[in-house]
Amino acid sequence: MGSIQLMSDAEKEIMKLIWDNGGSIFISELLEKVEESGRGWKRTTVRTFLTRLMEKGLLTAVRRGKNCEYRAAVTEEEYLSGQARNFVDEVFGGNVKNLLASLLGQEKMGTDDVKELQAFWEKCREDMK
């Protein structure tokens, strides 16, 4: 998968509503959920966010009669994983070891974190066999 584009905070809120709805939602349902959230966004504002998300390749739209269904083109996990990869690539030259060294050097990871990470790596190695 190629690089996944960043979303604005507002776009993330829209995608979160879609992801929490199983990855697809009709525009009418989405507008209801936005209204329930108390954000105060108008219909045109929501449609602008949807258009931007489609332009970024994160969302697709399918016409269903008079209603439009929006479908996430990536899962929340794929998005988060892609952003983590982008961060490591941009900040640490793609080297995860440098990221971990930075976190350890700043004492951002405690002993329990290191043990948990070690267990994670061991499980990954087992899964790769």
Side-chain angles (χ1 to χ4, degrees):
M1 173 180 283
S3 180
I4 295 177
Q5 290 194 36
L6 282 172
M7 288 187 268
S8 70
D9 289 342
E11 291 167 348
K12 283 181 204 168
E13 285 186 49
I14 296 292
M15 284 301 291
K16 185 76 174 136
L17 291 172
I18 296 169
W19 286 325
D20 289 350
N21 200 61
S24 68
I25 195 165
F26 286 98
I27 186 65
S28 54
E29 294 173 278
L30 180 61
L31 292 169
E32 284 176 28
K33 289 182 183 291
V34 167
E35 188 175 323
E36 288 169 9
S37 75
R39 290 292 286 158
W41 291 331
K42 302 229 181 293
R43 174 184 285 264
T44 54
T45 303
V46 173
R47 288 191 184 275
T48 298
F49 294 142
L50 293 170
T51 299
R52 288 180 189 161
L53 289 164
M54 288 188 294
E55 289 170 353
K56 292 178 179 182
L58 299 169
L59 199 60
T60 61
V62 178
R63 196 63 138 157
R64 302 266 186 226
K66 292 183 179 184
N67 212 342
C68 191
E69 181 181 20
Y70 290 90
R71 295 179 183 166
V74 295
T75 65
E76 187 172 16
E77 293 78 19
E78 288 169 334
Y79 177 76
L80 294 173
S81 177
Q83 291 312 302
R85 271 194 315 276
N86 289 347
F87 175 76
V88 171
D89 287 346
E90 290 174 18
V91 177
F92 295 96
N95 191 321
V96 175
K97 185 173 69 176
N98 288 346
L99 167 66
L100 294 175
S102 174
L103 293 173
L104 290 169
Q106 296 175 18
E107 298 179 12
K108 296 287 184 193
M109 294 180 70
T111 305
D112 289 342
D113 294 325
V114 172
K115 287 179 182 175
E116 187 177 331
L117 188 57
Q118 185 176 13
F120 171 77
W121 287 120
E122 288 172 8
K123 183 181 181 324
C124 287
R125 258 195 306 206
E126 287 298 315
D127 291 347
M128 293 172 78
K129 290 181 180 178

